[in-house]
Amino acid sequence: MENSTLAGFGNRLVAQIIDSLILGFVISVLILPIFGISLFNSSSFADAEDEAAVAVLVGTLVVPLLLAGLLGPILYEAFMVSSSKQATIGKILMKIKVVDEQGQRLTFGAALGRALIKYVTSNVCILLWLWPLFNDKEQALHDIVVKDYVIK
């Protein structure tokens, strides 16, 4: 880690925007067919008179949306950061990667913990994303907890 240059807030932000666009597109492509099938099978919640129709609609629409929307970004981040690339697609394009304190690749467990903390903090308090601007090691909360760095 000593000979590496920290990635900087701007590089990290652009990488996150790229990843968000990619994930949004992929989730949309996966969910749209499910949404279309659900609408075809059941006209709407208001028209569904029996509980079974509502259950089918919820099961085919809401559950996949929740799973894709919640688990997708977390698993994507964890698998990519713990891979040999040590980076998500956005980070790869920005030429940055995530390393532990010794400059090594994160384990899947560490990457999963990092992704969970990152997901929760970015959805609960977006101001925590500004944390790297106020510390000399340019670490966000998820970096501090897992003890990792984002480097060029």
Side-chain angles (χ1 to χ4, degrees):
M1 180 30 228
E2 309 229 344
N3 296 330
S4 302
T5 304
L6 296 171
F9 181 77
N11 287 322
R12 294 176 67 156
L13 180 63
V14 171
Q16 184 61 45
I17 290 169
I18 292 168
D19 287 329
S20 295
L21 290 171
I22 291 169
L23 281 169
F25 176 77
V26 169
I27 290 170
S28 295
V29 166
L30 294 174
I31 294 303
L32 283 176
I34 295 169
F35 181 71
I37 291 167
S38 297
L39 288 179
F40 180 73
N41 289 335
S42 229
S43 58
S44 71
F45 279 114
D47 293 340
E49 294 179 11
D50 61 84
E51 293 173 11
V54 173
V56 168
L57 186 61
V58 168
T60 58
L61 178 61
V62 176
V63 172
L65 274 171
L66 287 174
L67 288 176
L70 294 174
L71 295 179
I74 293 168
L75 292 175
Y76 164 75
E77 177 91 18
F79 279 116
M80 294 295 291
V81 167
S82 64
S83 75
S84 61
K85 297 288 186 190
Q86 297 174 261
T88 61
I89 294 171
K91 287 178 179 66
I92 291 168
L93 291 173
M94 295 305 298
K95 297 179 173 52
I96 60 178
K97 66 181 181 176
V98 181
V99 298
D100 67 11
E101 290 179 308
Q102 288 76 39
Q104 302 298 312
R105 176 171 71 175
L106 297 183
T107 64
F108 179 75
L112 182 61
R114 180 183 192 278
L116 284 166
I117 295 165
K118 181 178 177 181
Y119 187 83
V120 169
T121 57
S122 65
N123 286 298
V124 173
C125 182
I126 197 68
L127 292 177
L128 290 172
W129 258 89
L130 300 177
W131 201 317
L133 293 172
F134 302 104
N135 66 62
D136 59 341
K137 295 180 182 176
E138 297 179 6
Q139 291 176 295
L141 180 62
H142 51 273
D143 300 314
I144 293 168
V145 171
V146 178
K147 298 179 181 172
D148 66 54
Y149 298 91
V150 182
I151 61 169
K152 281 193 140 308

